[in-house]
Amino acid sequence: MSFGALSVPAIRALSRGAKQAGIWLNTGEGAMSSFHLEGGCDLIFQIGTAKYGVRNEAGGLSEDKLQAVAGHEQVKMFEIKLSQGAKPGKGGILPGVKVTEVIASTRGIPVGQDSLSPNRHPEIACVDDLLDMIHRVREISGKPVGLKAVIGLAGWLDQLCERINERGLQYAPDFFTVDSGDGGTGAAPQSLIDNMGLPVQSSLPLVVGKLTEHGLRERVRVICSGKMINPAAVAAALCLGADCINSARGFMFALGCVQSLKCNKNTCPTGITTHDEELQQGLNPVDKADRVANYAANLMHEVEVIAHSCGVAEPRLLRREHLLIVS
Ligand SMILES: Cc1cc2nc3c(=O)[nH]c(=O)nc-3n(C[C@H](O)[C@H](O)[C@H](O)COP(=O)(O)O)c2cc1C
């Protein structure tokens, strides 16, 4: 979740809570701020279609800025965002009312104007372009690089795997984040939120299956996101082949989200998705960091409880035979 969609105190609470829980924090496409770093947690830097934080004058990838970001010890990996489940084919949207001084300077954009990211990376028009970008970012940063996408048609997955095998494993992504079609967002058209993109119950086994079919399962880690809010959903995802999961709205609940659906209006009553300092009063980063850490710890504990009930020593040993989806 980007800084911009989220407020300063929300990012502070998440970075502290992630540190306490020993989990990572993904920056989202709004670049990395000092508030991400101050909590001391591990960070995944997301390279969105607007390349905020690693952007050159022309809007392309700045190698110098990428190296500077990679120079931070806390930055463990880079995620190239192709798409997000809530709005396939649509870029990032941050309404001008939320583009404050600090967000504008973090992103390198003018204050008060809508921040609209392109709906795709202009330099990625085919799987070979994507592999070139993965390889280039890894060469420059020296850190693992992956991609994030919501799945619709699956043909490009075969092409991607075939080209990796033809060009060599040095072009393979280190991880693939499969986002669910029913994923969340700070702002998106209703028509896309409800109807576009496969849910993770379908797309996760599809991606895992393709990687296995092409002999790349050991090379590429699989992460999934999309309503991984309770332990059963997480355990089911592990059964379907995920190596780990990302959660966004689950942690918004830990921060105190009451789902008032005002994220894009800058009037969030809980201070999570507003830059109005008056409304942020109730979000104390130190107190909320504990709630973030407790939520993560309890979620992981309960997944272990489910794993033991399935007769395996730890969640990573959960397999498809442990899961039956009753529809
Ligand atoms: C407020 C908000 C902001 C988000 N910003 C981003 C973003 O910048 N980049 C991105 O790839 N996904 C973004 N997402 C999507 C989440 O990262 C995640 O993929 C999706 O919400 C599914 O997870 P969930 O069901 O746990 O929320 C955002 C989601 C929310 C709720």
Side-chain angles (χ1 to χ4, degrees):
M1 298 182 284
S2 70
F3 175 46
L6 298 187
S7 65
V8 167
I11 299 285
R12 283 188 151 140
L14 288 171
S15 63
R16 286 162 183 263
K19 177 68 179 174
Q20 288 172 35
I23 60 176
W24 66 48
L25 175 62
N26 187 308
T27 64
E29 64 184 305
M32 181 172 72
S33 69
S34 59
F35 312 112
H36 287 102
L37 291 163
E38 73 178 35
C41 67
D42 289 350
L43 294 168
I44 299 185
F45 184 96
Q46 187 180 76
I47 303 177
T49 54
K51 317 255 182 337
Y52 291 134
V54 287
R55 179 190 169 94
N56 61 25
E57 295 298 308
L61 189 65
S62 157
E63 299 201 1
D64 295 343
K65 289 185 182 169
L66 178 58
Q67 238 155 23
V69 170
H72 289 277
E73 196 278 326
Q74 280 174 254
V75 175
K76 302 299 182 188
M77 304 201 288
F78 287 85
E79 181 181 68
I80 298 168
K81 176 190 175 180
L82 301 180
S83 59
Q84 180 186 334
K87 47 185 175 186
K90 192 108 186 132
I93 308 167
L94 188 67
V97 64
K98 293 184 75 174
V99 183
T100 60
E101 201 73 50
V102 65
I103 286 153
S105 62
T106 305
R107 293 187 179 204
I109 58 175
V111 175
Q113 288 179 26
D114 287 358
S115 161
L116 301 174
S117 310
N119 68 355
R120 67 178 183 85
H121 292 269
E123 68 274 57
I124 300 180
C126 62
V127 293
D128 273 310
D129 293 344
L130 174 57
L131 298 179
D132 290 342
M133 182 140 169
I134 290 167
H135 188 252
R136 183 177 172 214
V137 172
R138 191 161 42 219
E139 290 287 293
I140 296 165
S141 68
K143 296 193 173 175
V145 179
L147 62 109
K148 175 176 179 171
V150 58
I151 309 296
L153 296 173
W156 71 280
L157 296 171
D158 284 308
Q159 289 168 21
L160 182 74
C161 295
E162 283 153 14
R163 287 304 290 152
I164 292 169
N165 284 325
E166 285 158 11
R167 297 179 65 181
L169 292 183
Q170 71 275 24
Y171 287 92
D174 296 292
F175 64 91
F176 192 134
T177 306
V178 183
D179 198 29
S180 190
D182 55 6
T185 177
Q190 199 63 39
S191 53
L192 296 182
I193 289 180
D194 294 340
N195 306 302
M196 305 304 289
L198 288 177
V200 83
Q201 291 73 14
S202 308
S203 54
L204 176 59
L206 178 65
V207 170
V208 170
K210 290 290 177 196
L211 291 170
T212 308
E213 190 187 316
H214 292 273
L216 293 168
R217 186 65 190 89
E218 288 314 306
R219 174 68 185 82
V220 182
R221 299 294 98 204
V222 176
I223 303 172
C224 83
S225 50
K227 296 188 178 172
M228 298 291 135
I229 291 168
N230 60 49
V234 174
L238 297 173
C239 289
L240 291 173
D243 294 299
C244 49
I245 65 110
N246 283 348
S247 175
R249 288 167 292 179
F251 285 99
M252 289 178 77
F253 295 145
L255 290 172
C257 169
V258 293
Q259 293 197 300
S260 62
L261 303 182
K262 294 194 171 77
C263 307
N264 59 331
K265 300 201 168 53
N266 205 33
T267 54
C268 166
T270 64
I272 297 170
T273 59
T274 177
H275 306 297
D276 177 328
E277 289 180 7
E278 189 74 25
L279 293 171
Q280 293 176 354
Q281 304 260 333
L283 207 168
N284 171 329
V286 177
D287 161 52
K288 296 296 184 183
D290 290 343
R291 293 166 185 265
V292 165
N294 291 341
Y295 171 62
N298 289 320
L299 186 64
M300 291 189 271
H301 172 71
E302 292 302 324
V303 174
E304 286 163 357
V305 169
I306 291 174
H308 298 157
S309 152
C310 291
V312 294
E314 53 138 329
R316 288 188 196 291
L317 299 174
L318 287 168
R319 293 286 176 270
R320 288 193 191 183
E321 66 260 22
H322 297 117
L323 177 70
L324 184 65
I325 298 179
V326 182
S327 52

